[in-house]
Amino acid sequence: MSQNWIAVDWGTTNFRAWHFDAAGEVCDTVSLPAGLNQISGRFEPVLLDAVGPWLSHGYATSVLIAGMAGARQGWMEAPYLDVPADLDDLHNQLCPVPGTDPRVDVSIVPGLCQRSPENPDVMRGEEVQLLGLTSLFPDFSGPVCLPGTHAKWVSIKGSTVTGFTTHMTGELYALIGEKSILGHSVDCQAAPDADGFAYGVATARRSRGVILPHLFDVRAGDLLLDRSPAWNAGYLSGLLIAAEIVSELNHLSGGQTSDQSGHRTIAIIAAGGLAGRYKAACEAMDIKTQLIDGKDTTLAGLSAIHAHMNQTL
Amino acid sequence: MSQNWIAVDWGTTNFRAWHFDAAGEVCDTVSLPAGLNQISGRFEPVLLDAVGPWLSHGYATSVLIAGMAGARQGWMEAPYLDVPADLDDLHNQLCPVPGTDPRVDVSIVPGLCQRSPENPDVMRGEEVQLLGLTSLFPDFSGPVCLPGTHAKWVSIKGSTVTGFTTHMTGELYALIGEKSILGHSVDCQAAPDADGFAYGVATARRSRGVILPHLFDVRAGDLLLDRSPAWNAGYLSGLLIAAEIVSELNHLSGGQTSDQSGHRTIAIIAAGGLAGRYKAACEAMDIKTQLIDGKDTTLAGLSAIHAHMNQTL
């Protein structure tokens, strides 16, 4: 028998939950600035406060959580699956949270890890989006980019994640643009200027992704060339995003392009201005993109796990 | 007639002055944590306070200042000389500070700038060290590295600076190691671990200087591989320093090594642990180094300018 259930995406800065009815449709949602960094470890009270109106007495509603809530400093550490990892295996490795309020039955989705000494890496939350991607596009195969504070680039074959790399692009943009000497010359609150962005992309491409020698261009361009803080915001963003793309293309192709026309397609899971900037950078480098909404993949992934859980029962 | 004079190196975090007697020997020094960032624009009081005991009534002692005191936010903006710039021309372009206490006659050395849209850059203070280098080693020619918060790599032919690039290596090390997510896994106060450093150098070399995809290794290596905060400090330092060297070697050589043996020599103007790390990174990449003390070059450079000034008078 199907019942209502709750999907949760719980990261370091945000808490989002969706209430699915027994027919599998989203009937309510809630979004709160209640990430790990804000709640001082008060996981259960925050959860019950947020989704309390959706709960019933007399039975436990299934709550499926993805994201940093499963990290060491989260609610309960959910062990990682090692890559290569079959995304269809995630539902077998859920981490139940014992001893909670009887109205909820909480499980946390495991993250993925890559124990290579040359490129160790971890993800939490994106694995659900990747499962969602393979659910929404069953024939998908290839490189996937998930932009963000810690952008991930993932290689997928069938339902298997074969490897991935984290780029601290979003965090570096904020750190360098606000906290370094370049902060005098960059307006990180402004929309990045399109001309500056294009110039940053071209510079990163010409430099084959070696952009560290170009960061100080921002300061000198302010002092010598009257480049504006908004132009510099675009330039810094273009440098960092294009460096990420260039390095991944080199990595993915071993220096070769993927087909006779020299084109390849990257799936980008993102939304809004950030998705637009990744798309623009890719287009400037003759790379095709397929934009996929991040929320859609999260919900599709959690729904797929929930469906598997019910099959198993 | 020779007189006593005062050489000053005035940066963003430190003030250092040397008192030269009429015979051209250093007879006293003072070093204070009184850089631009600490003194709220009180340049003349800080200077007089520091060097007051060296001054005489009845004549103005020449005070020659190098460094950020000549920046826009400094005591008085000393215009830049454009590269290519002849270092022997610095003394012709000094910026006098008018209206000071009658016991001092203050001049600020101009910085250098590179107005290229592809690689705009500025320096203040290093130009004096470069002049000092050419004074101490008249036959010097080649690439010079000045490590630091904003490391400079400079191409010199004879007494002419033909171009330069700033790398924000030191600032990035502190920012990323202390203020980013990696701060949980890096002990920036510890001496960087030598094994971690060597591994970072090897990683940067293998990656041809494209190290941004490897920054997050630090976090994952802590979570997955039990790498210690000191090891990670070494790794991060090795990644950043070697990326700087690799990118400059590519730039300087156009991808070619400099002689039949594949060896080249880099002059490194630095001291202490930082000089040792640059030397170690270069050696790991079969690059010969010549270490030159930074204070020696500063004093030689300011002395050369002072000698020119007296010839001109």
Side-chain angles (χ1 to χ4, degrees):
Chain A
M1 185 191 84
S2 283
Q3 282 185 330
N4 68 316
W5 67 284
I6 296 167
V8 178
D9 179 16
W10 208 336
T12 48
T13 54
N14 285 296
F15 170 98
R16 291 188 300 174
W18 296 265
H19 186 201
F20 285 83
D21 62 22
E25 300 294 324
V26 173
C27 56
D28 203 358
T29 69
V30 60
S31 182
L32 299 168
L36 268 66
N37 290 346
Q38 282 91 36
I39 63 167
S40 307
R42 298 176 62 257
F43 288 94
E44 185 169 357
V46 167
L47 174 70
L48 293 176
D49 219 41
V51 307
W54 306 340
L55 305 179
S56 306
H57 287 282
Y59 71 93
T61 299
S62 177
V63 177
L64 193 54
I65 302 177
M68 292 298 286
R72 197 174 295 178
Q73 70 275 29
W75 193 348
M76 165 157 282
E77 186 169 8
Y80 298 107
L81 304 192
D82 283 75
V83 295
D86 188 343
L87 294 165
D88 286 336
D89 219 26
L90 286 171
H91 70 280
N92 289 322
Q93 308 285 340
L94 298 178
C95 179
V97 180
T100 56
D101 187 286
R103 291 172 297 159
V104 291
D105 177 12
V106 179
S107 297
I108 301 178
V109 181
L112 301 187
C113 76
Q114 181 168 279
R115 292 181 198 274
S116 143
E118 289 79 28
N119 191 14
D121 217 323
V122 291
M123 69 165 70
R124 283 202 186 273
E126 294 89 353
E127 70 292 331
V128 163
Q129 296 188 281
L130 296 167
L131 173 60
L133 175 74
T134 61
S135 305
L136 294 170
F137 304 95
D139 297 330
F140 181 84
S141 178
V144 185
C145 168
L146 299 103
T149 305
H150 298 154
K152 309 283 180 190
W153 283 72
V154 187
S155 296
I156 291 190
K157 286 186 183 168
S159 63
T160 299
V161 172
T162 56
F164 64 98
T165 300
T166 299
H167 296 255
M168 295 172 58
T169 306
E171 185 168 11
L172 289 177
Y173 178 72
L175 261 186
I176 295 170
E178 292 175 3
K179 308 278 188 204
S180 82
I181 179 85
L182 305 188
H184 297 295
S185 306
V186 176
D187 182 356
C188 281
Q189 304 310 314
D193 177 88
D195 284 345
F197 184 83
Y199 203 82
V201 170
T203 301
R205 188 183 192 187
R206 194 178 65 238
S207 311
R208 298 177 195 177
V210 179
I211 60 152
L212 293 179
H214 286 286
L215 291 178
F216 199 71
D217 293 4
V218 170
R219 183 70 184 143
D222 172 14
L223 294 169
L224 301 176
L225 305 172
D226 283 328
R227 290 175 177 169
S228 73
W231 194 96
N232 277 330
Y235 181 66
L236 181 59
S237 176
L239 275 181
L240 288 166
I241 288 175
E244 179 189 318
I245 296 167
V246 168
S247 72
E248 283 297 329
L249 289 186
N250 287 342
H251 177 63
L252 291 167
S253 64
Q256 304 298 311
T257 49
S258 60
D259 62 24
Q260 291 177 329
S261 69
H263 284 68
R264 61 161 62 241
T265 300
I266 307 285
I268 300 177
I269 299 180
L274 190 59
R277 284 194 287 285
Y278 273 76
K279 184 173 158 64
C282 284
E283 283 176 354
M285 295 190 265
D286 290 329
I287 302 157
K288 292 181 193 163
T289 55
Q290 178 183 5
L291 288 186
I292 301 160
D293 184 79
K295 189 194 66 164
D296 291 349
T297 56
T298 298
L299 288 183
L302 286 169
S303 296
I305 293 173
H306 184 258
H308 270 297
M309 289 166 71
N310 282 4
Q311 284 169 11
T312 311
L313 287 176
Chain B
M1 183 193 84
S2 284
Q3 281 185 331
N4 68 316
W5 67 284
I6 296 169
V8 178
D9 178 15
W10 208 337
T12 47
T13 53
N14 285 296
F15 170 98
R16 291 187 301 175
W18 296 267
H19 187 201
F20 284 83
D21 63 21
E25 300 295 325
V26 173
C27 57
D28 203 358
T29 70
V30 61
S31 182
L32 299 168
L36 268 64
N37 290 347
Q38 282 90 38
I39 62 168
S40 308
R42 298 176 62 256
F43 288 94
E44 184 168 0
V46 167
L47 174 70
L48 292 175
D49 218 41
V51 307
W54 305 341
L55 304 179
S56 305
H57 288 281
Y59 71 93
T61 300
S62 177
V63 177
L64 192 54
I65 302 178
M68 292 298 286
R72 198 174 294 176
Q73 70 275 30
W75 192 349
M76 164 158 281
E77 186 169 7
Y80 299 105
L81 304 192
D82 283 75
V83 295
D86 188 342
L87 295 165
D88 286 337
D89 219 28
L90 286 171
H91 70 279
N92 289 321
Q93 310 285 340
L94 298 178
C95 177
V97 180
T100 56
D101 186 287
R103 292 172 297 160
V104 291
D105 178 11
V106 178
S107 298
I108 302 180
V109 181
L112 301 187
C113 75
Q114 182 166 279
R115 292 182 199 272
S116 145
E118 289 79 27
N119 191 15
D121 218 324
V122 292
M123 70 165 69
R124 285 203 185 273
E126 293 89 353
E127 70 292 330
V128 163
Q129 295 187 282
L130 296 168
L131 174 60
L133 174 74
T134 61
S135 303
L136 295 169
F137 304 96
D139 298 330
F140 181 85
S141 177
V144 185
C145 168
L146 299 102
T149 304
H150 297 154
K152 308 285 180 189
W153 282 73
V154 187
S155 297
I156 292 189
K157 286 186 182 169
S159 63
T160 298
V161 171
T162 57
F164 64 98
T165 300
T166 299
H167 297 255
M168 295 171 59
T169 306
E171 185 168 12
L172 289 177
Y173 179 71
L175 260 187
I176 294 171
E178 292 176 2
K179 308 276 188 206
S180 82
I181 180 83
L182 306 188
H184 297 294
S185 307
V186 176
D187 182 357
C188 281
Q189 304 308 314
D193 177 88
D195 285 344
F197 184 83
Y199 203 82
V201 170
T203 300
R205 188 184 193 188
R206 195 178 64 238
S207 312
R208 298 177 195 178
V210 179
I211 60 152
L212 294 179
H214 286 286
L215 292 179
F216 199 71
D217 292 5
V218 170
R219 182 68 183 144
D222 173 12
L223 294 171
L224 302 177
L225 305 171
D226 283 329
R227 288 174 178 170
S228 73
W231 194 96
N232 277 328
Y235 181 65
L236 181 59
S237 176
L239 275 181
L240 287 165
I241 288 176
E244 178 188 320
I245 296 167
V246 168
S247 72
E248 283 296 331
L249 288 187
N250 287 342
H251 177 64
L252 291 166
S253 63
Q256 303 299 311
T257 49
S258 61
D259 62 24
Q260 292 177 328
S261 69
H263 284 68
R264 59 162 63 239
T265 300
I266 307 285
I268 299 177
I269 300 180
L274 191 60
R277 284 193 288 284
Y278 273 76
K279 184 173 159 64
C282 284
E283 283 176 352
M285 295 190 265
D286 290 329
I287 303 156
K288 292 179 192 165
T289 55
Q290 178 183 8
L291 289 185
I292 301 160
D293 183 81
K295 190 194 64 164
D296 291 350
T297 56
T298 297
L299 288 183
L302 286 168
S303 295
I305 293 173
H306 184 256
H308 271 299
M309 289 166 72
N310 283 5
Q311 282 170 11
T312 311
L313 289 174

